[in-house]
Each structure stands twice: as structure tokens, then as C-alpha cells.
Amino acid sequence: MTRQSCTEANTKGCVKISNWWTEGNNVHLRVKVLNESNIPKSDLNPSDFRVVTADASEAIEPTVILPKAEGAKATPADFIILLDMSGSMKYPDAQQVKKLDGAINAIREFLNAVERENLSVNISLVPFGESGAGCPNKDGILTVTEQKIKSNFLPATDNQLKTQLNDLAKVNVCAATNLYAPLETAVKYLNNESVTNGNSSTNEPIKKQLAVILLSDGFHTYKRATESLQFEGLKKILQQSAPYVTVHTLGYGESLSELYKKSLCQRLIIPEELSVDALIENKCQQEDNPNTVDIDESKINISEFLVDQPRLEEIAKLTGGIHQFPDNAQDVANSLITFLESLREYELIYKQPGADQATLHHSMVKIIPNNLTSGPVDIRMGNMDYVSLNLTERLYLMAGVLILFVLIGALPFMQWSRYLKQEK
């Protein structure tokens, strides 16, 4: 397997080998170390790493290039940003910023961070929403297709992205939320790209990271009665696409528990039963927030404020992605910038014991202080014509050549010369 994905729930984190390649008998590993929330760790030291590999009697301490060291190379990436344009995005967030404005400003900060850090990132900005009666989908702006994703891809520094954001800020949002179909389309598109661009092959330098950022302030309302069945279909696609495609989720709004605390419901809901559907079925109603002078929350259906955090978290974990749940615009921006940290990887370099042309070596990476071990990868050495030697090996080789020269060339010549002198 070329890439690994941290998709299982864990309490201490995960280490994965995202790619490898060989140069002579040296092996290069691209390694990502994640904490328990799948957020990359960049504070490890070179001495924290070991490589366990075939033909080595003990673990190897590799040369390590830290993610932010001089000469370190960030992973290039293609990001699809799916932006929720449902009607609830017109309401204010915890700091009284209209959520659509907050999301768009956060994406602007994300683009600025890419440019500031000089990262090689392409972005396809794709709005989505489920149109209905009284909410026209003008010019198909909210319809997500693979062709639209492809045509929208631009370098993160392209001014057209800023123009797109300005245009989206003027949209009168009113759509319903269909999370699964747009996400399925985006993941399938990137999965096809991973095959087309050779991301499933090995033995080549840094491969491009392919990721979807799903930014939503709601929950899947499309044909809600069959939501579980729809999710099972999406789940299979996500699992099949990992580890080549990662999905990061960003739920913009308050947690279900916070909403429940300031709502009036028909009956008590215990924590184990708290869910989007439980709040709707019990006809929960928010109390009016005195800080929002122009809005009376008590007269708005609570479904407008519900964010399905458990489902968004599950979606991210299925591909080893990051899940964030900010309730204000600045934290949305910070969360998006956190996703950029996924492009920072450690590079490990070590000499493979027993290396020869096309030999296969079973290898793993261990993180000493965190007691983490990656899944194994099979490293196949290239069909190399020359294996580089270290200084000690070169000195031994030169000494051996000199000894052979003396034994095979010089000594016979000296004996022959002595023989001729005796003949005279």
C-alpha cells in the first residue's frame, strides 16, 4: 500500500507513512504524525523517530527533515471547498456575524495563508444547496457536478477565487441542506484524479494531497426519513477512497448540547438520546437572544440552528480527516488554516540494510515518546546500477583493491624481475 490513513478511533494519536521513494540504497519516507483529533503534530524532534525494517537487527535512527525546517517541502495539494448555501447561513453566529459572511471571510484568510506560506495549492470553490419551491437554483449555481469541480479549480493565488467569493457573498441564501450528494461527487472526482495522476503508484517523490473541506452550518435534510440509508452509501465511498482522498469537516454553529440548554422542549432529553432528530421530534424551541435585536429566535424553527456534529465528525474520521466545530467567524478561519497543517510532513531518510536491485523490505515507523507505530509498508528498491557507499566502506574497498594489486600485479612482477637478474 502506498499511503496509509488513520481512520480508526484512538486516544493517543496515529502515525502514517503517506509516501516513499528510493535513491540508490537510501529510502525516503513521508510521514505524518497526528494527535487524537487527527491534527498534525509538528513539535517532534529527530531523535523521536525510529525505522523498523527487514535485515536490520535493531531499529534505525534515520535522518529527519522537520516539517518547518529550512529545505523542507510542503506537500502540494488539491482542495475542494464545499460551501453550504442553505437558508440558515443568513443567521448570525455566536459573535453576531452573518454566517455566510463569516464563512466567506474565513476562506479569504485561508487563501491569504496559502499565499503567505508559499504553498502549492489548487482550490475548487463549490457552493451547494438543495433548491425547492420558492428557492430557485439560478443558473445551477448550487448544483455540484464533476465538470463544475474541474472547471472551478484554480491556483489559490488566482484573483478569480476572490471574485467568486465576492459573488457568493451577494447570494440570497434559502436552499435546504443536502450534504451527502455533493460530498459523494467531490470524493469520486478526486478519487478518479488520484488514479489518473498516478497517486496510487510508489517510488516517486512527494505526491499531491487530495482533500475535500466540507463547510456547513446544518444537517442533512434531503429525504430525511432515509438519512441512515443514504449515509451508508456515502460511507462505503469514503472508505473506498481512503487513504488517497481525505475529507475535513467544519461544522459552523453551536453544539447540540448548547442549543438544548437554551431551548424549551416537550420533554426531557437525556444526553444519550440527544440528537438532531430528538430536538426536532420534541418540538424544541429556542429562547429569544436579547443580543440579536432584529431576530426573535423563539419564532424560528430550531432546525435552522442545528449542526449535526456527530455525523460530520464521523465523516472526517472515515478518511482520517480533521473535524472542527467553531461557533464564530474567526474560529472558522483558524480551523481552515489548521487544515493546511496537513500539508506539513516529516521526511525520514535511511540506508536500507540488505538493499539490492528490486529487493522488497517490510518497514514501519515508530514514534518513541508517543509510543506510536505506523502500519507496515513494503519498500521495493529500484533497479539501481550503483549503490552509494559511505566513507568507511569506500576506504575498505580502496584497501582491498590495493592489496589485490600487490598480490596479483606487483609481487609477480618483482619475482620475475629477481629471476631475470639471477639469469644474468
Side-chain angles (χ1 to χ4, degrees):
M1 182 175 69
T2 309
R3 296 184 179 182
Q4 300 167 341
S5 181
C6 299
T7 57
E8 298 298 325
N10 60 79
T11 57
K12 61 179 183 177
C14 168
V15 55
K16 61 180 181 179
I17 300 171
S18 63
N19 189 36
W20 61 262
W21 67 95
T22 62
E23 290 180 344
N25 58 355
N26 288 323
V27 177
H28 295 247
L29 303 177
R30 294 283 290 184
V31 175
K32 197 183 299 292
V33 184
L34 309 176
N35 66 14
E36 64 278 3
S37 298
N38 271 347
I39 297 175
K41 292 174 62 65
S42 58
D43 59 349
L44 296 175
N45 299 310
S47 59
D48 296 334
F49 292 83
R50 296 292 186 277
V51 175
V52 180
T53 183
D55 299 315
S57 57
E58 58 184 24
I60 298 171
E61 187 168 349
T63 299
V64 180
I65 301 176
L66 299 175
K68 295 185 179 180
E70 184 177 353
K73 295 179 180 178
T75 307
D78 283 351
F79 282 120
I80 298 173
I81 300 179
L82 293 176
L83 177 60
D84 190 347
M85 299 290 286
S86 60
S88 55
M89 291 289 282
K90 67 188 176 187
Y91 294 113
D93 64 17
Q95 293 185 349
Q96 307 311 309
V97 175
K98 180 182 174 183
K99 281 190 275 189
L100 180 61
D101 293 340
I104 287 174
N105 288 333
I107 295 172
R108 286 196 182 101
E109 288 197 38
F110 177 80
L111 298 178
N112 291 337
V114 172
E115 185 172 7
R116 185 169 58 249
E117 297 184 32
N118 195 29
L119 301 175
S120 178
V121 175
N122 296 317
I123 291 175
S124 179
L125 177 59
V126 186
F128 72 94
E130 190 67 27
S131 299
C135 186
N137 183 7
K138 185 179 180 182
D139 300 325
I141 186 175
L142 303 181
T143 302
V144 179
T145 65
E146 291 195 25
Q147 181 56 44
K148 178 181 287 188
I149 291 171
K150 182 178 181 179
S151 61
N152 279 11
F153 259 117
L154 295 166
T157 54
D158 196 309
N159 285 329
Q160 288 187 58
L161 282 169
K162 296 176 182 178
T163 300
Q164 289 178 23
L165 287 171
N166 292 337
D167 291 341
L168 289 174
K170 301 171 185 175
V171 174
N172 181 24
V173 289
C174 65
T177 306
N178 182 345
L179 291 178
Y180 301 162
L183 181 55
E184 179 179 324
T185 301
V187 169
K188 283 183 175 179
Y189 172 82
L190 289 180
N191 198 42
N192 291 335
E193 286 298 296
S194 73
V195 175
T196 303
N197 295 330
N199 277 280
S200 59
S201 65
T202 59
N203 209 36
E204 51 183 77
I206 310 173
K207 292 182 174 67
K208 184 180 291 187
Q209 185 177 121
L210 306 174
V212 179
I213 297 175
L214 175 61
L215 196 166
S216 174
D217 77 327
F219 65 101
H220 185 76
T221 61
Y222 181 70
K223 297 183 179 179
R224 185 67 189 175
T226 61
E227 186 273 338
S228 295
L229 186 62
Q230 294 177 67
F231 182 71
E232 284 304 311
L234 174 65
K235 183 176 179 179
K236 290 178 182 178
I237 291 169
L238 295 177
Q239 290 172 326
Q240 291 167 359
S241 298
Y244 304 113
V245 178
T246 304
V247 177
H248 304 302
T249 55
L250 198 159
Y252 187 4
E254 294 181 281
S255 68
L256 296 178
S257 58
E258 287 299 317
L259 277 173
Y260 177 60
K261 285 178 185 177
K262 57 183 185 181
S263 298
L264 301 174
C265 302
Q266 286 186 338
R267 72 171 181 84
L268 179 69
I269 303 174
I270 61 174
E272 292 77 12
E273 294 178 350
L274 187 61
S275 67
V276 166
D277 291 320
L279 289 169
I280 294 173
E281 290 168 3
N282 284 283
K283 298 182 179 179
C284 296
Q285 188 176 35
Q286 274 208 95
E287 297 176 344
D288 184 30
N289 183 350
N291 294 323
T292 53
V293 179
D294 299 328
I295 300 175
D296 184 351
E297 283 84 357
S298 66
K299 295 182 179 179
I300 302 172
N301 193 310
I302 197 170
S303 63
E304 297 285 349
F305 303 101
L306 296 175
V307 184
D308 197 346
Q309 295 180 348
R311 197 58 109 193
L312 290 174
E313 181 175 349
E314 186 175 2
I315 287 171
K317 285 186 174 181
L318 283 168
T319 63
I322 302 170
H323 47 279
Q324 298 278 283
F325 300 111
D327 64 1
N328 65 79
Q330 186 54 57
D331 283 350
V332 172
N334 295 339
S335 296
L336 286 173
I337 293 171
T338 296
F339 297 152
L340 286 178
E341 290 299 310
S342 65
L343 306 183
R344 304 287 188 183
E345 297 180 305
Y346 296 88
E347 186 171 328
L348 278 55
I349 307 168
Y350 66 96
K351 180 181 176 183
Q352 177 62 54
D356 203 350
Q357 293 184 3
T359 52
L360 196 64
H361 304 272
H362 202 64
S363 302
M364 297 182 294
V365 172
K366 297 189 72 172
I367 309 298
I368 304 301
N370 301 81
N371 193 27
L372 296 174
T373 303
S374 74
V377 293
D378 288 328
I379 308 292
R380 184 174 295 281
M381 308 306 293
N383 291 317
M384 49 193 174
D385 297 320
Y386 170 73
V387 178
S388 60
L389 303 175
N390 60 36
L391 180 59
T392 302
E393 291 172 325
R394 290 177 184 179
L395 291 175
Y396 278 127
L397 182 60
M398 290 175 63
V401 170
L402 287 172
I403 292 171
L404 285 174
F405 174 75
V406 171
L407 293 175
I408 297 174
L411 283 178
F413 177 79
M414 292 171 65
Q415 290 175 346
W416 177 66
S417 177
R418 190 179 298 115
Y419 171 75
L420 291 177
K421 290 177 180 179
Q422 290 174 351
E423 286 293 313
K424 292 179 178 179

